[in-house]
C-alpha cells in the first residue's frame, strides 16, 4: 500500500477543529501506511499504545480523542454516531491524509466499519476489534437497564474526570450514546453496511464478557460474524482471542497488529492505491 502524500510528514500533536468543538490528535508522522485509530465509546487514544508499538515505524499512526473524551477534546452539542463518523474525515483532512487503514475497537469498530463502507476509494482496509457485530440486542428492557446503569454511575463520574478516564458528559448523554449504538448495531441497520464493504477487512474477536453484559450475551452477539464473513469475501475473522472485551487491546495487541498486517498485504495484492 502507498500513501497519497509525497512529503515525509513530521510527528505532530495538537487539536483539530470540527463542528462546534476541537479534537485532541496525535500523528507519529513518517512515510508508512497511514492508520487512523477509532477508540472505544468512552475510551482514549492511549489505549492503542501497545498496538502502535507492535506495528512500529512501517506505519504512520494517527490517534485522536472523540468529543468530550480524554483530557483535551472539547465538549459538543452533538455526540451522535454520525458525528463520530464525520470526525474521522475531519482528522484525516487536518493531517493531509486522503487514504488510510482504519482500526476500531468496540464502538470504534462500528465507526471504522461505516467509514470504510462509505469510502471504498479512501479506505485502504479495516480492522474491527470486538465490535461491529450485527445483532438486535437493544429492546425496551435493555434500554431501561442502560439508563439505570448510567444513572448509578453518574454520581462517580465527576471524581474521575480530571484523570481523563471518563468523558466530560453526564450520565444521560452517555446512556443515550449507548442506546444509539444498539440501534446502529441492529441486523437491519448494520448488515447492509458490512455487505457493502469492498476493501480488505479483518475482525479480531474477544472471548470474555464486556462491561454490563450478562451470561452469554456477548458470545451470542459475536456469533453473527459467521454469516457476515460468509456473505462478503472481503471480510474475514482473523483471530478469536482469549481475553475479554475490555482487555483485548492490552492482552492481545499482537493479534490486532497481525490483522493490520494481513489487511496491508491483502491491499497490496489487489494493487491497493
Amino acid at each position: 500500500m502507498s500513501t497519497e502524500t509525497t512529503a515525509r510528514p513530521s510527528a505532530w500533536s495538537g487539536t483539530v477543529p470540527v463542528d462546534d468543538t476541537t479534537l485532541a490528535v496525535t500523528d507519529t508522522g513518517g512515510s508508512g501506511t497511514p492508520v487512523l485509530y477509532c477508540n472505544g465509546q468512552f475510551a482514549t487514544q492511549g489505549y492503542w499504545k501497545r498496538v502502535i508499538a507492535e506495528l512500529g515505524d512501517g506505519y504512520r499512526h494517527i490517534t485522536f480523542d472523540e468529543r468530550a473524551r480524554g483530557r483535551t477534546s472539547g465538549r459538543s452539542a452533538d455526540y451522535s454516531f454520525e458525528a463520530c463518523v464525520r470526525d474521522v474525515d475531519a482528522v484525516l483532512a487536518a493531517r493531509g491524509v486522503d487514504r488510510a487503514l482504519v482500526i476500531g475497537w468496540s464502538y470504534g469498530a462500528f465507526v471504522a466499519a461505516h467509514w470504510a463502507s462509505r469510502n471504498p476509494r479512501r479506505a485502504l482496509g479495516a480492522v474491527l476489534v470486538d465490535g461491529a457485530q450485527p445483532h438486535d440486542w437493544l429492546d425496551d428492557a435493555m434500554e431501561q437497564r442502560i439508563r439505570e446503569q448510567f444513572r448509578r454511575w453518574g454520581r462517580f463520574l465527576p471524581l474521575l474526570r480530571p484523570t481523563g478516564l471518563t468523558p466530560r458528559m453526564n450520565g444521560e448523554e452517555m446512556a443515550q450514546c449507548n442506546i444509539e449504538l444498539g440501534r446502529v448495531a441492529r441486523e437491519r441497520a448494520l448488515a447492509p453496511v458490512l455487505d457493502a464493504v469492498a476493501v480488505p477487512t479483518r475482525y479480531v474477536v474477544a472471548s470474555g464478557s464486556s462491561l454490563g453484559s450478562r451470561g452469554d450475551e456477548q458470545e451470542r452477539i459475536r456469533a453473527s460474524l459467521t454469516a457476515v464473513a460468509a456473505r462478503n469475501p472481503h471480510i474475514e475473522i482473523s483471530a478469536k482471542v482469549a481475553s475479554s472485551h475490555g482487555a483485548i487491546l492490552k492482552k492481545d495487541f499482537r493479534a490486532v497488529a497481525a490483522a493490520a498486517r494481513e489487511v496491508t498485504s491483502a491491499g497490496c495484492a489487489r494493487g491497493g492505491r
Side-chain angles (χ1 to χ4, degrees), residues 39-237:
N39 302 339
Q41 190 167 45
F42 305 124
T44 63
Q45 55 189 305
Y47 279 62
W48 297 105
K49 62 183 180 181
R50 292 176 177 83
V51 176
I52 290 170
E54 181 70 15
L55 282 173
D57 295 339
Y59 293 82
R60 176 184 174 184
H61 307 279
I62 303 170
T63 59
F64 71 103
D65 289 329
E66 267 293 357
R67 304 172 186 217
R69 277 73 152 183
R71 293 176 181 268
T72 308
S73 290
R75 285 183 52 80
S76 174
D78 187 357
Y79 297 120
S80 67
F81 181 81
E82 284 301 318
C84 291
V85 179
R86 291 199 305 273
D87 289 347
V88 172
D89 286 313
V91 171
L92 290 176
R95 299 311 303 142
V97 175
D98 184 56
R99 306 188 68 227
L101 164 63
V102 286
I103 303 180
W105 164 60
S106 191
Y107 184 93
F110 289 85
V111 174
H114 268 261
W115 190 85
S117 182
R118 299 177 194 185
N119 295 279
R121 295 184 181 277
R122 298 184 61 203
L124 298 173
V127 176
L128 310 176
V129 185
D130 212 37
Q133 303 132 331
H135 188 81
D136 294 356
W137 54 264
L138 182 72
D139 55 20
D140 290 344
M142 177 63 81
E143 182 170 337
Q144 183 61 28
R145 186 170 126 196
I146 290 170
R147 292 192 187 280
E148 290 175 356
Q149 185 178 64
F150 281 99
R151 193 175 298 120
R152 289 195 303 271
W153 291 348
R155 70 189 72 173
F156 303 108
L157 295 177
L159 300 175
L160 293 173
R161 281 181 188 137
T163 68
L165 296 176
T166 59
R168 291 184 302 285
M169 303 163 68
N170 62 42
E172 179 57 32
E173 288 169 331
M174 294 172 71
Q176 192 55 46
C177 284
N178 208 245
I179 290 164
E180 185 190 24
L181 180 62
R183 295 170 182 148
V184 169
R186 284 173 174 157
E187 171 76 24
R188 66 179 179 273
L190 185 57
V193 173
L194 297 174
D195 290 348
V197 168
V199 296
T201 299
R202 299 292 182 270
Y203 277 90
V204 179
V205 185
S207 296
S209 63
S210 66
L211 183 65
S213 67
R214 297 176 179 175
D216 66 345
E217 283 177 347
Q218 203 67 38
E219 282 300 287
R220 285 188 281 112
I221 292 171
R222 291 170 182 139
S224 67
L225 294 181
T226 301
V228 169
R231 291 195 304 267
N232 189 335
H234 299 291
I235 297 176
E236 297 179 16
I237 300 172

